[in-house]
């Protein structure tokens, strides 16, 4: 019986190829299953929050967002994203006494690539002096990425946040202006 099972895929090149493809598919599914199951969207009572604990506006839809909303663990992480965004923008707009002090304050909250870009910035050219308003999530598309609108004394900035392998939120970009609220 076992010899028949082993001989079946070797009967023709088509069977061998089909068997190999099926084996690869099974291996991919087995290795990806934990990721797929943990990334499945579950409805959340509060997909976003603001720093002043008022109900947040609904996030703007994005092509990568699921209709079910972020999972509960992602919702909790958005609070951390807001905190990191506030700390980063405060450091970015704040102490400009020396480049080393300024850079140390912003680089700790930035991805490696963005930290390298920040190394070319002259902080004296930054006209903002601090955060003056509440922060709001403008894109919670999931996948370890979100955007936060931050009101500074020089206007809105949009902070792009990425979650690293240790599930920490880090700033990957900062642009003037911000996405509009859904509404």
């Amino acid at each position: 019986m076992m010899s028949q099972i082993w001989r079946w895929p070797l009967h023709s090149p088509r069977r061998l190829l089909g068997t190999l493809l099926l084996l690869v598919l099974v291996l991919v599914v087995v290795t990806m299953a934990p990721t797929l199951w943990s990334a499945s969207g579950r409805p959340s009572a509060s997909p976003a929050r603001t720093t002043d604990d008022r109900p947040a506006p609904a996030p703007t839809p994005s092509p990568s967002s699921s209709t079910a909303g972020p999972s509960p663990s992602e919702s909790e992480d958005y609070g951390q994203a807001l905190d990191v965004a506030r700390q980063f923008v405060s450091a970015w707009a704040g102490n400009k006494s020396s480049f080393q002090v300024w850079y140390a304050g912003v680089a700790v909250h930035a991805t490696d690539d963005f930290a390298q870009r920040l190394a070319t910035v002259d902080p004296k050219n930054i006209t903002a002096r601090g955060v003056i308003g509440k922060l709001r999530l403008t894109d919670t598309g999931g996948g370890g990425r979100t955007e936060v609108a931050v009101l500074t004394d020089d206007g809105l900035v949009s902070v792009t946040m990425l979650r690293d392998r240790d599930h920490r939120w880090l700033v990957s970009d900062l642009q003037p202006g911000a996405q509009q609220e859904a509404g």
Side-chain angles (χ1 to χ4, degrees), residues 25-90:
L25 180 66
V26 167
L27 289 173
V28 168
V29 168
V30 167
T31 57
M32 296 294 292
T35 306
L36 294 174
W37 288 328
S38 67
S40 66
R42 294 182 191 119
S44 171
S46 175
R49 73 173 186 118
T50 57
T51 55
D52 63 356
D53 292 326
R54 279 191 258 152
T60 57
S62 71
S64 63
S65 65
S66 65
T67 56
S71 69
S73 64
E74 287 175 335
S75 295
E76 294 167 11
D77 286 349
Y78 289 140
Q80 181 191 17
L82 290 168
D83 293 340
V84 171
R86 177 180 294 279
Q87 293 167 6
F88 174 82
V89 174
S90 295

Side-chain angles (χ1 to χ4, degrees), residues 3 9 13 35 77 90 98 125-126 136 145 164:
S3 64
T35 306
D77 286 349
S90 295
S98 75
N125 292 334
I126 299 171
R136 63 181 164 82
R145 181 186 180 283
D164 70 2

Side-chain angles (χ1 to χ4, degrees), residues 139-158:
D139 181 1
T140 56
R145 181 186 180 283
T146 191
E147 290 190 22
V148 179
V150 182
L151 182 59
T152 69
D153 59 338
D154 194 41
L156 279 173
V157 292
S158 181

Side-chain angles (χ1 to χ4, degrees), residues 19 38 103 176:
T19 303
S38 67
Y103 184 75

